[in-house]
Amino acid sequence: MLGQTLTSGSGNGAGSYALGLVHNEVRMDILRSDAKQLASTLLRDLIRPLIDFNFGTEVPMPVVRFAADEGEDLVALTTVLSLTVPLGIGVPQKSARDKFGIPAPEGDEPLLAAMAAAAAAATPKDGKPLPPLRPKQGKGLTS
């Protein structure tokens, strides 16, 4: 009745991972089909009448598309970048910013820095660790 085996059972036993992948593909096919049908309905019932009323029937129809694909695995992309960039494989900043949806900084806007770079800047030149911070005697709250 439901059309899929994993919707009514737990998928125990061999092959449940493979079944899950197949069901994910079916889910994506249904999602893409729904997106195409929604775009067609919006064009036919909403956009076309508005264009006809405001501009006339000779104006070409716009194209409506919905992004119905699975998003890119940003964790995997981060791993690849962290392994390849130190090896000298150049990646344009704009490309990386676009992939992650991070806007370019404006003017003198403060930037996040790598923790390793910040720690290296805080280490004294002689390589000895800094002493722990202790409050000065006589200052602060008293109970």
Side-chain angles (χ1 to χ4, degrees):
M1 239 183 166
L2 297 173
Q4 296 180 350
T5 57
L6 291 179
T7 54
S8 58
S10 63
N12 292 335
S16 61
Y17 178 73
L19 280 174
L21 291 178
V22 169
H23 287 280
N24 188 45
E25 283 299 315
V26 170
R27 181 185 61 83
M28 287 306 299
D29 289 344
I30 292 170
L31 179 68
R32 286 185 200 103
S33 174
D34 288 350
K36 286 179 185 177
Q37 289 178 6
L38 179 60
S40 174
T41 301
L42 286 175
L43 280 171
R44 184 189 68 230
D45 296 342
L46 181 66
I47 296 171
R48 179 82 259 176
L50 286 173
I51 289 176
D52 289 349
F53 180 75
N54 289 308
F55 304 107
T57 57
E58 65 279 351
V59 175
M61 284 282 287
V63 176
V64 176
R65 290 189 190 128
F66 291 100
D69 292 325
E70 283 194 59
E72 193 170 351
D73 186 2
L74 296 180
V75 174
L77 181 60
T78 302
T79 303
V80 169
L81 289 176
S82 67
L83 294 173
T84 57
V85 170
L87 295 175
I89 298 175
V91 177
Q93 250 191 30
K94 182 177 179 344
S95 174
R97 287 182 185 279
D98 290 346
K99 284 278 188 191
F100 289 100
I102 300 171
E106 297 178 7
D108 293 337
E109 186 176 12
L111 302 175
L112 297 176
M115 291 176 62
T123 304
K125 302 235 188 276
D126 60 5
K128 294 180 184 174
L130 294 173
L133 294 175
R134 293 191 179 110
K136 293 183 179 180
Q137 296 296 331
K139 300 211 176 197
L141 298 175
T142 58
S143 51

